[in-house]
Amino acid sequence: MSRLRAAGRQGFRALLLLAVAITVVFLALPIVAIFWEVGLAQAIDGLRSDVARDAFRVTLKTNAISMALILGVGTPAAYFLATRRFPGRSLVVTIIELPLVLPPAVAGLGLLVAFGRFGLLGEQLDSLGITVGFTQVAVILAITFVASPFYIRPAIAAFEAVDRTMLDASRTLGAGPAKTFWRVALPLAAGGLVAGAAVAFARGLGEFGATIMFAGSLQGVTQTVSLAIYQEFDVNLDIALAISALLVVTSGTLLLAVKALPLWTGSRSTSRFPFARSAST
Amino acid sequence: MDRLALDISIPLRTLRVDLELEVGRETVALVGPSGAGKTTVLRAIAGLVRPERGRISLGETAWLDTERGINRPPEERSVGYLFQDYALFPHMSVRKNVAFGGATRVDELLERFGIRHLARVRPGDVSGGERQRVALARAVARDPSVLLLDEPLSALDAHTRTAVRAELHELLREVRLPTVIVTHDFEDAAALADRIGVILDGKLLQNGTATELVRSPADPFVASLTGSVLLAGRARPGADGLTEVVLDDGTIVYSAERGSGRVGVVVHPWEITLAREAPTDSARNHLRGPVAALFPDGDRVRVRVGQLTAEITAAAARELELAPGEVVVASFKATGARLVPLAEAGS
């Protein structure tokens, strides 16, 4: 009887290990294949091509502006949502989270019918002489739309994790709400904010669906790295692989940085690791 | 010096805090069990909680007046608030913590509180007693007109506590500000405050000096808080103008005070004497029983005999050769037995 049980335990353990092995191999294989297929020399050549250079230039510029927008507007918004309770708050949070679960194609179409020439705000923007669709502005809007919840969600969690007594103490020491935010809340939430920003940045770098629908794929203007990979896939596979390899390295580095962040900030950080609270997408 | 005056009403989840208090150049302690609403009072004074209605003023300045629609934000109320767990900013050095309150006399304060050697250290690396000094230095750096101290000693171990209490007492005498201390410990309150307000379920039960509260507790809760013995029983008139109290275990004790119905007999531990044999003395009450436990406290010993706790000197305890299980007679005078009304059993 007990031998049967021991055998059962062993069998279950083997089953779990098998599941882990399948998961790891399946998830790692495509990454390994990219590096397998592209040699170092080919990769360097590929990255030197005009397409790749233009794509990286466009990607960095648009992502930098998007991140500035997300951080600049998202941080105070997250602070407000983390420190106040009001009717309709969960609705507001849900609206902010929506892009996480929205299919990118839907996001692209939505942006098009909102800001495009024949869209909701198209006429007003047109009369101001602003064309959004299929310009770099469209790329920025697409990235911002898709990536912001990846920052704002962990940012809310990070601000919520700040001990309210710290904020109270700041106020009784004569600091107004703004000074309390800058000197106390922001530094104490910094760990969670940086981690959230890194994830949002990684998401923005890889943005594809919404961008191609809303901004098109014009080399040097709206063609980001993801779009370039898609285009070169038909034209020059080596270039596509080279860009992909570099993106793997970049994203991997960002992920490691986010994981290592709690270690750096150590006990000072009151915020938790941001992945724990993110919705699965 | 401006007086702090408050008359506030704050609904909490399970109780309502209703409090009227005036604090001059003195230290008032609010004592009561946790959950009595003590901290809420401090938070209301500081502006961190908005009372449903009421007034809070410092001298001529209104901080809160719900009728006139005045509610100053915390940063516009001149308070020095010591939080229960000190709430030091973990991301700033000790010096920056103190400077956050006011940058003009940081060095002087670091010196005054004996924490200059910690100036560059983060609060996380500082001991409990030192952390309190940092918090105090930070609280007074703003040059406040009112001091609010929330359980200033509860985060400390017994050893540090006595020393810090003495330091705190010295500080309070030095600054002479209207000060409100919140504590659950009557001894701490007695040591630090000029006046004590006993608070239970959001209401002020009694307000007076420590001596007054100990001498004539208005309420059984106040009596138990001051560390006195409380024996429950039923009072009836006895001979010689004394009141006879039949305790719940059938024992009869005598009190010089008048009382009837269900009462608590309050006896202070230091008014109870112990002997091997029932003495022939002026004490009217002699209760025989085995020693339950001995609690040495410095040069004194607290001895539990049945429901009684006697406080005697360590030398006397040695002479009597007291040990748990030894049968002794505990005596106290009828004049030392005060009566407080108790709620009828079962009500």
Side-chain angles (χ1 to χ4, degrees):
Chain A
M1 198 58 192
S2 69
R3 278 176 65 180
L4 208 66
R5 253 194 212 168
R9 273 202 295 272
Q10 295 258 323
F12 184 63
R13 194 179 132 87
L15 205 70
L16 294 183
L17 284 173
L18 185 68
V20 172
I22 292 172
T23 310
V24 171
V25 169
F26 175 70
L27 293 181
L29 196 62
I31 310 292
V32 174
I34 287 173
F35 287 100
W36 189 269
E37 285 296 319
V38 63
L40 187 62
Q42 280 166 291
I44 289 167
D45 276 350
L47 292 175
R48 278 191 177 147
S49 67
D50 283 346
V51 181
R53 284 185 181 197
D54 283 347
F56 276 108
R57 195 170 43 75
V58 171
T59 304
L60 283 180
K61 184 180 167 193
T62 52
N63 273 283
I65 296 171
S66 285
M67 280 314 290
L69 290 172
I70 292 172
L71 295 181
V73 180
T75 310
Y79 182 64
F80 183 88
L81 291 168
T83 51
R84 283 162 184 76
R85 293 286 174 273
F86 53 90
R89 177 182 176 273
S90 23
L91 182 71
V92 173
V93 173
T94 308
I95 291 171
I96 288 173
E97 286 169 350
L98 200 59
L100 286 174
V101 292
L102 210 60
V106 178
L109 197 61
L111 288 167
L112 203 55
V113 294
F115 300 103
R117 179 165 291 185
F118 305 107
L120 212 56
L121 300 177
E123 217 168 294
Q124 284 90 324
L125 290 171
D126 216 29
S127 65
L128 293 170
I130 302 169
T131 315
V132 175
F134 306 100
T135 66
Q136 225 161 50
V137 177
V139 181
I140 292 164
L141 288 182
I143 293 170
T144 308
F145 182 85
V146 172
S148 9
F150 284 86
Y151 172 71
I152 298 177
R153 265 185 68 112
I156 293 174
F159 281 125
E160 276 176 347
V162 173
D163 186 353
R164 286 301 295 263
T165 321
M166 297 293 162
L167 309 182
D168 287 345
S170 167
R171 298 294 297 276
T172 65
L173 290 166
K179 188 181 171 190
T180 298
F181 171 74
W182 280 111
R183 296 275 315 270
V184 182
L186 206 57
L188 287 177
L193 297 182
V194 173
V199 177
F201 184 58
R203 175 67 184 84
L205 280 183
E207 216 312 289
F208 178 81
T211 314
I212 201 162
M213 292 200 63
F214 183 39
S217 181
L218 205 65
Q219 190 189 326
V221 184
T222 65
Q223 192 177 73
T224 59
V225 280
S226 299
L227 301 179
I229 291 169
Y230 185 66
Q231 180 192 291
E232 292 308 301
F233 172 64
D234 281 340
V235 184
N236 186 339
L237 189 62
D238 280 348
I239 292 181
L241 283 169
I243 299 174
S244 299
L246 187 61
L247 278 183
V248 170
V249 173
T250 317
S251 307
T253 311
L254 272 174
L255 183 63
L256 284 178
V258 170
K259 293 225 173 212
L261 199 70
L263 302 178
W264 296 336
T265 47
S267 57
R268 299 197 287 118
S269 171
T270 51
S271 21
R272 290 178 202 99
F273 189 59
F275 283 165
R277 294 242 206 150
S278 303
S280 52
T281 51
Chain B
M1 186 68 63
D2 290 328
R3 290 175 78 79
L4 173 74
L6 53 139
D7 181 1
I8 49 174
S9 180
I10 312 164
L12 297 179
R13 208 170 304 158
T14 55
L15 56 103
R16 176 179 278 275
V17 176
D18 279 304
L19 191 81
E20 211 184 319
L21 194 67
E22 268 205 48
V23 188
R25 290 174 61 148
E26 61 182 335
T27 300
V28 172
L30 295 178
V31 190
S34 48
K38 300 172 304 219
T39 297
T40 306
V41 174
L42 290 194
R43 292 178 60 83
I45 298 172
L48 299 170
V49 162
R50 189 180 193 279
E52 189 181 74
R53 57 176 196 276
R55 287 181 311 278
I56 300 171
S57 60
L58 179 75
E60 298 296 304
T61 321
W63 284 359
L64 173 88
D65 191 333
T66 48
E67 269 170 33
R68 287 196 285 158
I70 297 172
N71 182 24
R72 287 199 179 203
E75 62 270 22
E76 288 176 21
R77 303 184 184 197
S78 182
V79 301
Y81 197 133
L82 186 77
F83 289 84
Q84 184 169 1
D85 51 5
Y86 308 140
L88 295 172
F89 301 130
H91 58 296
M92 295 180 195
S93 67
V94 162
R95 162 179 280 278
K96 287 208 168 136
N97 263 282
V98 175
F100 196 94
T104 45
R105 20 179 226 131
V106 177
D107 288 302
E108 182 198 326
L109 286 168
L110 291 175
E111 190 74 44
R112 158 70 183 81
F113 286 89
I115 46 172
R116 206 176 57 170
H117 61 292
L118 301 169
R120 289 152 170 264
V121 181
R122 291 240 165 107
D125 303 326
V126 167
S127 77
E130 290 168 336
R131 212 171 294 169
Q132 201 214 38
R133 285 194 229 146
V134 177
L136 275 172
R138 187 179 72 170
V140 299
R142 199 188 165 187
D143 231 338
S145 309
V146 171
L147 272 184
L148 305 172
L149 314 178
D150 191 357
E151 297 279 4
L153 303 165
S154 68
L156 305 170
D157 58 71
H159 179 69
T160 322
R161 199 184 174 98
T162 321
V164 173
R165 194 160 78 181
E167 286 172 18
L168 198 55
H169 189 231
E170 193 190 328
L171 173 76
L172 293 176
R173 279 179 44 177
E174 188 184 300
V175 296
R176 299 285 294 166
L177 290 172
T179 301
V180 183
I181 296 185
V182 151
T183 174
H184 63 273
D185 189 317
F186 184 77
E187 207 180 301
D188 287 343
L192 292 172
D194 304 305
R195 264 194 309 140
I196 297 173
V198 179
I199 199 169
L200 184 68
D201 293 334
K203 311 282 180 290
L204 201 61
L205 290 181
Q206 194 174 357
N207 182 355
T209 64
T211 322
E212 282 164 12
L213 296 187
V214 170
R215 195 174 292 153
S216 44
D219 179 281
F221 178 75
V222 178
S224 68
L225 193 75
T226 57
S228 300
V229 175
L230 186 89
L231 307 167
R234 186 163 286 280
R236 63 179 184 217
D240 307 329
L242 293 179
T243 304
E244 220 175 78
V245 182
V246 184
L247 302 183
D248 292 348
D249 63 359
T251 319
I252 292 176
V253 296
Y254 298 94
S255 168
E257 289 188 3
R258 284 174 192 284
S260 63
R262 193 146 172 83
V263 294
V265 182
V266 177
V267 193
H268 300 314
W270 53 91
E271 290 183 341
I272 299 174
T273 61
L274 297 178
R276 283 288 182 171
E277 300 296 333
T280 43
D281 60 4
S282 60
R284 296 299 306 265
N285 298 303
H286 303 286
L287 281 76
R288 184 183 290 274
V291 172
L294 296 157
F295 304 103
D297 182 11
D299 59 351
R300 282 149 197 271
V301 184
R302 290 196 157 214
V303 187
R304 291 276 298 280
V305 182
Q307 295 181 71
L308 297 174
T309 301
E311 189 178 288
I312 59 175
T313 60
R318 270 196 306 277
E319 265 168 43
L320 286 167
E321 295 178 335
L322 290 184
E326 300 277 339
V327 175
V328 294
V329 176
S331 311
F332 54 93
K333 293 159 61 163
T335 50
R338 270 158 302 272
L339 299 181
V340 293
L342 284 185
E344 286 295 326
S347 68

